[in-house]
């Protein structure tokens, strides 16, 4: 429905999933003793789930306009 290209929607969704996974794994392995471990891990979780939620919306086509 929007004018944003489908490939850009896919890139944003997949990039947020990958960045979320990297943040989660980095916080799990390297920042376990860090003061802000929980906040960093939640940031990764939010990015990961936002990417999963955005992925179905990337399949919308622009042909209806």
């Amino acid at each position: 429905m929007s004018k944003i290209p489908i490939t850009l929607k896919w890139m944003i969704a997949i990039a947020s999933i990958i960045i979320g996974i990297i943040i989660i794994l980095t916080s799990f392995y390297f920042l376990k003793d860090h003061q802000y471990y929980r906040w960093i891990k939640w940031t990764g979780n939010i990015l990961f789930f936002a990417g999963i939620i955005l992925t179905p919306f990337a399949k919308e086509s622009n042909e209806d306009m």
Side-chain angles (χ1 to χ4, degrees):
M1 297 290 189
S2 66
K3 301 255 182 195
I4 300 172
I6 295 173
T7 54
L8 182 61
K9 290 179 185 179
W10 273 103
M11 288 190 321
I12 292 170
I14 292 172
S16 65
I17 291 172
I18 291 172
I19 291 170
I21 290 172
I22 290 171
I23 290 174
I24 291 168
L25 292 177
T26 303
S27 67
F28 182 69
Y29 287 114
F30 300 116
L31 302 174
K32 195 72 167 172
D33 298 329
H34 196 271
Q35 179 180 359
Y36 299 111
Y37 165 73
R38 183 169 294 159
W39 293 103
I40 294 170
K41 189 175 120 188
W42 273 106
T43 302
N45 289 339
I46 290 170
L47 282 172
F48 179 72
F49 288 118
I52 290 175
I53 291 170
L54 285 174
T55 303
F57 295 108
K59 296 179 182 179
E60 291 180 1
S61 63
N62 297 332
E63 297 172 2
D64 296 336
M65 297 186 121

